[in-house]
Amino acid sequence: MPSSDDRSTVRSERINHADVYTSSIYTRASAHISSSIISKFEALISSDNSGEFMAFLATAEVCDSNASHLASGDLRVLHPVFQIYGQCRAFSGPVVTLKVFEDNVLVRELLESRGEGRVLVIDGAGSMRCALVGGNLAQLAQNMNWAGIIVNGCIRDVDEINGCDIGVRALATHPQKSGKKGIGEKHVPVYVGGTLIRDGEWLYADSDGVLISKSELSI
């Protein structure tokens, strides 16, 4: 008849085998998780400058559950013309509007102020002749806690911008810097991406697109 020590050894071996079997099943299951699911999950999670994680609304789900707001215009979808830059693929916040043309002095002035999680929407009239935002301004925006920047125009220093913990959308890239005359208008309605955007409205962006809401949406 086996001793108590022998029985304990058998039980221990069975437990170890069960652990290995369970771990093997988990590993195989994890390997089959769709990369698109993982990407979507990562897009919905972002970290602010304090290191705390924040959840964001998925734009597709917002559209699916807010048909009446889309119909009324309280919720609008920007035309899919923007390229994605920066480390934050998903971001949101109250909008600060700026209207300029091939001149980024006012862009710097606004980004030098405390962002407090806001999003700067720059109407550069869609100019393809110079860049309105570069690596230095993207780094400044990150340091001042801006959530993101939307540029109806071009940016440059893409590798630097892609290294910044901020979300950036722009039409294209251009190596030439803009003018420095300081001409433009702050906090005025701007027409970007096929819709009128007002200062103080809310912007939601992720890998699927960019939304403008008349008011803050609930997570």
Side-chain angles (χ1 to χ4, degrees), residues 111-129:
L111 292 179
E112 285 177 340
S113 64
R114 295 178 60 183
E116 299 177 332
R118 294 176 294 171
V119 179
L120 179 60
V121 176
I122 305 168
D123 180 8
S127 172
M128 293 286 151
R129 302 195 301 185

Side-chain angles (χ1 to χ4, degrees), residues 61-153:
E61 294 178 5
V62 170
C63 290
D64 289 349
S65 58
N66 289 276
S68 61
H69 292 299
L70 286 168
S72 68
D74 288 344
L75 180 67
R76 288 100 66 200
V77 182
L78 269 60
H79 290 171
V81 295
F82 295 97
Q83 304 300 311
I84 298 175
Y85 307 96
Q87 290 191 2
C88 295
R89 298 182 68 85
F91 59 93
S92 63
V95 168
V96 175
T97 58
L98 175 63
K99 189 172 185 177
V100 296
F101 183 70
E102 299 180 356
D103 186 324
N104 73 347
V105 171
L106 297 184
V107 176
R108 174 175 288 277
E109 283 187 11
L110 282 172
L111 292 179
E112 285 177 340
S113 64
R114 295 178 60 183
E116 299 177 332
R118 294 176 294 171
V119 179
L120 179 60
V121 176
I122 305 168
D123 180 8
S127 172
M128 293 286 151
R129 302 195 301 185
C130 64
L132 293 174
V133 173
N136 290 337
L137 289 184
Q139 184 63 54
L140 175 62
Q142 175 187 313
N143 295 343
M144 298 305 292
N145 198 31
W146 288 83
I149 306 172
I150 306 291
V151 184
N152 184 27

